[in-house]
């Protein structure tokens, strides 16, 4: 009976050692992976989060810019629909690009 118990105990210990070796291999592999990943991330440039201003003036300015962008796009779509000549379409685009900053300055005087 004691020989049988000793044999089973030896089998259990051998199984525990085998599992410990498998676990050690897995942990070593994970450690190597973490080290490789850490070196790679250290070599890459860090992402910088740019946060928008959240105040009332900033929200108002974003809304005004959105309105002007929408108007600019509407003018461009109308130009494409109304004019078939490429020169006219290009002229409307160039003229719009020149006029938009002037209109923004005149309509929304941001100095005061």
């Amino acid at each position: 009976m004691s020989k049988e118990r000793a044999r089973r105990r030896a089998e259990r210990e051998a199984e525990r050692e085998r599992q410990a070796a498998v676990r050690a291999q897995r942990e070593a592999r994970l450690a190597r992976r973490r080290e490789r990943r850490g070196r790679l991330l250290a070599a890459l440039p860090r992402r910088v989060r740019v946060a928008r201003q959240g105040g009332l003036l900033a929200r108002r300015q974003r809304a005004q810019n959105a309105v002007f962008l929408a108007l600019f796009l509407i003018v461009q779509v109308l130009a494409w629909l109304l004019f078939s000549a490429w020169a006219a379409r290009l002229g409307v685009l160039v003229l719009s690009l020149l006029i938009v900053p002037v209109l923004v300055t005149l309509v929304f005087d941001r100095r005061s």
Side-chain angles (χ1 to χ4, degrees), residues 12-97:
R12 283 193 307 267
E13 289 176 0
E15 179 65 24
R16 262 189 248 129
E17 289 175 6
R18 188 187 65 75
Q19 288 176 351
V22 168
R23 189 173 28 251
Q25 283 180 338
R26 187 179 331 127
E27 289 173 2
R29 188 173 52 242
L30 287 175
R32 286 192 307 269
R33 178 186 289 171
R34 272 189 234 110
E35 182 185 348
R36 262 194 322 262
R37 187 169 190 262
R39 281 190 309 226
L40 177 68
L41 289 178
L44 293 176
R46 301 223 184 269
R47 285 183 42 183
V48 176
R49 182 175 174 266
V50 178
R52 295 191 313 190
Q53 293 290 324
L56 177 64
L57 294 177
R59 282 197 306 263
R60 184 183 305 159
Q61 184 175 357
R62 279 195 298 273
Q64 292 169 353
N65 289 341
V67 167
F68 261 98
L69 178 65
L71 289 175
F72 176 79
L73 292 176
I74 289 171
V75 167
Q76 297 309 307
V77 168
L78 287 175
W80 274 80
L81 293 176
L82 295 177
F83 301 122
S84 60
W86 281 96
R89 292 173 176 172
L90 188 61
V92 169
L93 175 65
V94 170
L95 193 62
S96 297
L97 289 174

